Amino acid sequence: MIFNEQPKSQPISKLQVQEAFKRVKANKGASGVDGVSIEAVSKNTRKYLYPMWNRMASGSYYPKAVRQVLIPKSDGKMRPLGIPTIVDRVAQQVIATELEQIVEKHFHPSSFGYRPNKSAHDALEGCRINSMKYSWVIDLDIKGFFDNIDHELLLKAVQFYTQEKHILMYVKRWLNAPVQLADGTIKHPEGKGTPQGGVISPVLANIFMDIVFDKWITQTSPTTPFERYADDIVIHCKNIKQALGLMQAIKERLRDCKLELNQDKSKIVYCRSSQKRQPPFKVRYQKFDFLGYTFKPRVVKEREKIRLGFSPAMSQKSSSRIIKELQEMNFHRWVQFPISKIAELLRLKLRGWINYYGKFRMSEMRKLFRVLHFRLTKWIRNKYRRFRKKPWYVGYKYLQKLSRDFPNLFEHWQYEGFRP
């Protein structure tokens, strides 16, 4: 990448652009409205990145429209995902990196989403520990969070942390960038919303929620523990009176910030079951979902003693989503491949699922692997003629023999209790 760097009005260097492109390239992703891929930009950086740097450094850079893609949600609805062009993603990464360095040290330690050295597992572990200490949980859900962020309030939140003119200028331009809908029509934002999928969107969401929620709850209820991952929030309370009061206060706070609480999904959950300390009324909710895990009363082992606790495990929604994905792959029809090739094609997916959902109570993944083994048995019956006219369990016994002879063939076979 060759740049002839001249004095510019905005403090953006060629090194920043180079480092930003490395991160965008590592994250991969689809092309935007211009159809230019990461490979095309990588092969000709002077054609694509030099003009972008030149315009950003002189203050004349304006983003192209964001391509909208609709992806299905677990409840059957569609979630809009915004995909900027590769060049725009590099530009966003430049400002996002600079902004992260400014705001990161000011964020609350209970904020875990899209932050360096913090992960979803850290949020889940904190939630697990606090759920054992506190009897009540407020499970919050903000209605259409990314679609309803007010631009004026968001810019004020960014200004709270930095007065850098180039950061504020480009953040404002990205917020006002048009969106190309699935049918090709162009939609202009009406003073609210930031597309999910943009590089800078998670940073802006964290800044907004830090002001709207983190700092507010620290001032109004400093002893109340919580975990927040982007707009997913879990709050722990000692009693129902505190939970009800806090729920009403949060509803008013969100309304003041032009957001709305999702009444159908937000709930107050009781974290005790079959114990002496029961509330004097019938409890409606005794479990909640957080980051793909379900928290509910389970038998746990603590200090060599067996007792009833409140712990996380892979949620039914997550399990159903993965099972549907396995079914849609139709690998039981891949009879042109040997089983070693199927194991290779599934390896990265299985490893990712195990690494994420196997962190807490991995035994809950058995149902998922049973479905996988059933589909592998179908592959065996389709692949080998000698199994076609025999009962299905004959093919299953053959799969069991394979797992004994080649215990490292499939990723999950390396763990005890997950072989067929």
Side-chain angles (χ1 to χ4, degrees):
M1 197 182 298
I2 303 172
F3 295 118
N4 295 319
E5 199 164 1
Q6 301 294 330
K8 301 288 183 179
S9 62
Q10 308 302 325
I12 296 172
S13 68
K14 63 180 181 180
L15 182 61
Q16 286 177 282
V17 176
Q18 290 170 343
E19 293 300 319
F21 179 63
K22 287 179 184 177
R23 292 183 64 174
V24 170
K25 188 178 179 180
N27 291 333
K28 301 180 181 179
S31 56
V33 293
D34 58 359
V36 178
S37 65
I38 291 177
E39 291 74 19
V41 176
S42 184
K43 288 176 182 177
N44 199 341
T45 55
R46 188 169 185 86
K47 176 182 176 182
Y48 294 104
L49 296 186
Y50 176 76
M52 181 271 290
W53 166 78
N54 195 31
R55 292 187 189 114
M56 282 196 78
S58 61
S60 61
Y61 164 78
Y62 283 86
K64 293 184 179 179
V66 176
R67 182 167 68 91
Q68 187 184 85
V69 176
L70 298 176
I71 56 174
K73 296 169 65 175
S74 57
D75 57 3
K77 296 180 181 178
M78 303 299 286
R79 173 184 281 121
L81 188 69
I83 303 177
T85 65
I86 304 300
V87 172
D88 286 342
R89 292 215 286 273
V90 175
Q92 287 188 17
Q93 186 64 67
V94 170
I95 301 301
T97 302
E98 195 173 342
L99 198 51
E100 279 176 351
Q101 293 172 352
I102 297 170
V103 301
E104 175 61 30
K105 58 189 175 185
H106 299 290
F107 283 160
H108 196 281
S110 294
S111 169
F112 297 92
Y114 312 109
R115 295 182 61 190
N117 303 318
K118 285 183 179 286
S119 67
H121 286 157
D122 295 329
L124 289 162
E125 175 63 14
C127 187
R128 184 190 69 83
I129 292 170
N130 285 324
S131 295
M132 301 283 275
K133 293 179 181 178
Y134 293 81
S135 298
W136 297 89
V137 153
I138 302 176
D139 180 22
L140 286 184
D141 186 271
I142 300 174
K143 195 173 184 178
F145 172 68
F146 283 92
D147 297 332
N148 292 311
I149 294 179
D150 185 76
H151 289 180
E152 186 180 346
L153 292 178
L154 177 55
L155 287 170
K156 283 183 179 179
V158 176
Q159 287 173 0
F160 178 81
Y161 288 109
T162 179
Q163 295 296 321
E164 292 287 344
K165 291 182 180 179
H166 68 288
I167 293 178
L168 298 173
M169 176 177 65
Y170 287 127
V171 166
K172 189 173 182 179
R173 288 181 187 178
W174 281 315
L175 291 176
N176 292 325
V179 177
Q180 186 186 74
L181 304 179
D183 59 2
T185 58
I186 299 295
K187 178 185 175 184
H188 293 273
E190 299 174 350
K192 65 178 183 178
T194 173
Q196 282 182 270
V199 174
I200 202 166
S201 294
V203 184
L204 296 178
N206 265 341
I207 290 172
F208 191 69
M209 287 305 296
D210 183 66
I211 301 292
V212 170
F213 181 79
D214 298 357
K215 284 183 169 48
W216 172 81
I217 198 170
T218 302
Q219 291 175 356
T220 57
S221 187
T223 59
T224 302
F226 69 92
E227 295 82 34
R228 182 177 68 79
Y229 194 95
D231 61 322
D232 291 332
I233 308 171
V234 172
I235 308 166
H236 304 270
C237 302
K238 292 181 180 179
N239 51 61
I240 187 63
K241 184 179 178 181
Q242 181 192 6
L244 290 169
L246 196 53
M247 187 78 150
Q248 184 60 36
I250 291 168
K251 194 184 298 182
E252 293 172 4
R253 171 63 176 173
L254 291 178
R255 193 184 302 121
D256 292 341
C257 298
K258 300 184 181 180
L259 292 173
E260 186 181 351
L261 202 64
N262 192 326
Q263 300 284 3
D264 296 330
K265 294 184 179 179
S266 299
K267 54 184 179 286
I268 297 175
V269 183
Y270 185 56
C271 299
R272 300 285 181 267
S273 180
S274 301
Q275 296 184 16
K276 293 180 180 179
R277 292 179 293 174
Q278 289 284 347
F281 54 87
K282 186 178 179 180
V283 178
R284 184 176 180 185
Y285 299 107
Q286 287 191 281
K287 66 178 181 179
F288 65 92
D289 286 359
F290 183 51
L291 301 178
Y293 279 76
T294 295
F295 285 75
K296 69 177 185 179
R298 305 177 197 270
V299 175
V300 296
K301 188 176 182 181
E302 193 177 78
R303 297 176 184 174
E304 302 301 321
K305 292 183 179 180
I306 304 294
R307 70 185 187 90
L308 194 68
F310 199 86
S311 60
M314 184 182 189
S315 71
Q316 183 60 47
K317 282 185 180 179
S318 300
S319 181
S320 299
R321 176 181 55 81
I322 294 174
I323 287 171
K324 185 179 178 183
E325 186 176 343
L326 287 172
Q327 290 171 343
E328 290 175 349
M329 288 177 72
N330 283 329
F331 60 82
H332 65 283
R333 298 185 184 275
W334 299 351
V335 292
Q336 71 273 26
F337 296 135
I339 196 166
S340 58
K341 181 66 175 178
I342 292 177
E344 182 185 341
L345 293 170
L346 292 176
R347 183 166 291 120
L348 289 179
K349 284 184 177 291
L350 289 172
R351 187 178 297 167
W353 294 332
I354 291 169
N355 287 344
Y356 187 77
Y357 294 108
K359 180 72 174 178
F360 301 95
R361 213 174 185 90
M362 192 175 176
S363 59
E364 290 292 319
M365 299 187 75
R366 285 201 178 99
K367 179 184 176 182
L368 167 65
F369 294 135
R370 279 198 298 269
V371 173
L372 175 60
H373 294 150
F374 175 72
R375 303 198 76 79
L376 286 173
T377 304
K378 289 182 73 174
W379 175 86
I380 290 169
R381 289 165 63 84
N382 290 335
K383 175 78 171 177
Y384 304 109
R385 289 184 180 179
R386 66 182 186 271
F387 293 109
R388 290 178 190 172
K389 293 184 179 180
K390 294 181 180 179
W392 73 270
Y393 61 80
V394 177
Y396 187 77
K397 284 185 177 180
Y398 177 75
L399 186 65
Q400 288 179 319
K401 184 178 182 303
L402 279 176
S403 69
R404 290 193 297 269
D405 295 341
F406 306 98
N408 295 324
L409 182 61
F410 284 90
E411 191 73 21
H412 62 291
W413 286 0
Q414 301 173 29
Y415 298 86
E416 187 177 351
F418 293 113
R419 293 180 197 167

